[in-house]
Structure formats: C-alpha cells, structure tokens
Amino acid sequence: MTEDYRAINRANWDERAPAHAASSDYSVEQFVSDPSFLSQVVTFDVPRLGDLTGVRGLHLQCHIGTDTISLSRLGATMTGLDFSPASLAEARRLAERVGADVDFVESDAYDAVDALGAGEFDLVFTGIGALCWLPDVRRWAHTVADLLRPGGRLFLREGHPMLWALDEERTDVLAVGYPYFEVPDALVFDSGGTYVETDVVFANNLGYSWNHGLGEIVTSLLAAGMELTALEEHDSVPWDALPGQMRRDGPLGEWRLTDRPERLAASYTLQAVKRG
Ligand SMILES: C[S@@+](CC[C@H](N)C(=O)[O-])C[C@H]1O[C@@H](n2cnc3c(N)ncnc32)[C@H](O)[C@@H]1O
C-alpha cells in the first residue's frame, strides 16, 4: 500500500471542495435561503434517523458540511470531522452563513479518537463515499466503537460494495471489474472529473481507494463491540454512479439503474449500537 495515499487523496479533495460548494448539486444557496432545508442525503435518512433532539453527533468525513448542518437542523449537537482543510473551510463558511452551531475538526478518520476523545458521542453518522477512502475497515470499525458511548449508535448509509466493484466504463452491461473484497493494494485512479455538475478543470486527479465487502463491514463492527440493529439494501444512490446506465427518479431524486433496477443493490443503510 502506498504510504502517501492520504496526501494524494487530500489534494484531490481539497481541490474539489470549492467546486462542490459552488455546484447546484450541493444546494448551498438553498441552505441559506431556507432554514428548514435538508441535504438530499439526510432527507433520505430522515425516516430511519428517529428523533435527534439533544443527541451529540459526529459526522465522520463530513466534506463541506451539508449533511452535518442538516443533522444539526434536526436537533443534534453536531461535530464534523474531515482531513481536507479546504472542505472544512467551506463547511465553516456555510455554518456561519446559516447560523448553525457546528464544530468542524481537521483530522484523519483513523485519528478521530485522538482529536475528539473516546466515548464522547451518542451518534456517529457517516457514508456516501466515505469508507472507500480508508484501507482497513477493521481499523475504521474500532475507531467508530471508541468514539461512541456505550449504547451509542452508528448510522451508515454507503455505496454498496457490489456497486463499487462494477466497471463504470462498461455501459453495455453490468461488468464486475474491481475487487468486491478488501485487498491491500489500492485501486488507483486518475480521473479529471467529479460527481457533481461543474465546469472546473482539476489538476489533482490521482486517487487511492479500497472496497470493503458487506460481510467484512458487518464482521468488523461485531468484532469492535457493536451490535447490528438494522441492515437495509437499496436499489438507489444519491449520485450518478454508473453514467449512461442510471436514471434519476422518485421524490428523493435518487439514481437507480434505468433497466431493471432490481438487479443491483446500489447502497445500504446499516445501523449498529455499541454494546454497553
Ligand atoms: C464524498 S465525501 C463524503 C461526505 C458526504 N457524503 C458528502 O458527500 O458531503 C468524502 C470525504 O471524505 C474525506 N476523506 C477522505 N479520506 C479521509 C481520511 N483518511 N480521513 C478523513 N477524511 C477523509 C474527504 O476529504 C471528503 O471530504
């Protein structure tokens, strides 16, 4: 595994953060104009989140803070953590513009306990393009468990490992092109694009990512002292994950296969509670 994957991935995210904040896909201006506006991601999660009033929540890998601020609008006292200073600058700017009392902390996900302390949170919220940047899902699961108080909850909605295993350049057929299981070697990509509408031309296009099988994720959480309380697979994701093969539909604006969406688990929601 490359030792400098963090620096390479951080440069990639730092460059994309301002473009994401400026893109209509992240709806930053709607957060400003409508105090009750929630991100598309959190809107999907609302029926599963329950009452967040007074909950001490941590959003791991919070990016530009739109989901973090949405959770704070639902009543949680939120902290967002990310390793990208440019992402956090956008998150802090948005929080200030909308008057949201949210802390944003710069740290690698694996160093979150050093940055924030152990057992401090009732809720760890993460996902939608988060786990794929971390090489070792066991280490992530232990970090999540350490961050939670006994009885505290993990809420993870993430792209399905089956989706991450598909070769997005094959538009004629669903083709398994990448590992489903976690392997030590990163998947190295060099792609000038991003997942939102933007005209920005990027220079830092290298990225290192890893897949983690669903069984590996569940087993890692159980081994870290978490109890699984919910696992739902969905036929949709919040972004156009397979361009040319997906269509945006439904009231939540999610993307699913145009042809027979029941063929693919595109994302999942996993909830787990720290054993007390
Ligand atoms: C796709 S975003 C996920 C957040 C959220 N779903 C969203 O779209 O706003 C991925 C985030 O993970 C962060 N990230 C990647 N690797 C990380 C690491 N090792 N530690 C902390 N943050 C990391 C990136 O900086 C980026 O902000």
Side-chain angles (χ1 to χ4, degrees), residues 43-176:
T43 301
F44 184 96
D45 297 335
V46 160
R48 297 164 183 85
L49 279 167
D51 184 8
L52 296 185
T53 311
V55 163
R56 293 168 303 161
L58 171 64
H59 183 190
L60 268 186
Q61 297 177 242
C62 64
H63 197 39
I64 61 170
T66 47
D67 299 338
T68 331
I69 289 169
S70 299
L71 294 168
S72 121
R73 285 182 169 183
L74 291 174
T77 302
M78 289 304 299
T79 301
L81 178 144
D82 204 283
F83 77 165
S84 155
S87 297
L88 294 170
E90 297 296 343
R92 290 183 187 117
R93 190 170 305 131
L94 179 58
E96 196 175 323
R97 286 183 75 196
V98 303
D101 187 10
V102 176
D103 273 343
F104 289 102
V105 175
E106 185 180 325
S107 166
D108 189 88
Y110 287 151
D111 301 331
V113 177
D114 289 341
L116 296 167
E120 291 291 324
F121 295 99
D122 304 310
L123 172 74
V124 169
F125 176 97
T126 189
I128 305 301
L131 282 190
C132 57
W133 307 108
L134 305 177
D136 181 348
V137 74
R138 287 154 212 83
R139 192 169 170 196
W140 166 83
H142 276 283
T143 303
V144 168
D146 287 348
L147 288 162
L148 288 167
R149 64 156 172 86
R153 171 168 66 135
L154 167 67
F155 190 103
L156 167 68
R157 185 183 180 217
E158 188 52 283
H160 200 286
M162 198 59 238
L163 173 72
W164 297 126
L166 296 176
D167 181 350
E168 70 285 357
E169 287 179 4
R170 289 286 301 273
T171 53
D172 53 330
V173 70
L174 294 179
V176 180

Side-chain angles (χ1 to χ4, degrees), residues 13 16-32 37-42 59 61-70 73 82 87 90-91 94 97-98 127-130 133 194-198 238-239 248:
W13 283 107
R16 280 158 181 76
H20 289 180
S23 165
S24 59
D25 286 331
Y26 265 103
S27 306
V28 161
E29 294 309 321
Q30 276 171 275
F31 276 92
V32 178
F37 182 79
L38 302 177
S39 68
Q40 187 198 331
V41 167
V42 170
H59 183 190
Q61 297 177 242
C62 64
H63 197 39
I64 61 170
T66 47
D67 299 338
T68 331
I69 289 169
S70 299
R73 285 182 169 183
D82 204 283
S87 297
E90 297 296 343
L94 179 58
R97 286 183 75 196
V98 303
I128 305 301
W133 307 108
T194 184
Y195 51 86
V196 300
E197 285 290 325
T198 179
W239 77 99
R248 191 171 212 178

Side-chain angles (χ1 to χ4, degrees), residues 235 256-265:
D235 67 0
R256 44 177 60 77
L257 289 178
T258 309
D259 177 27
R260 292 168 293 149
E262 66 276 13
R263 286 181 295 159
L264 180 67

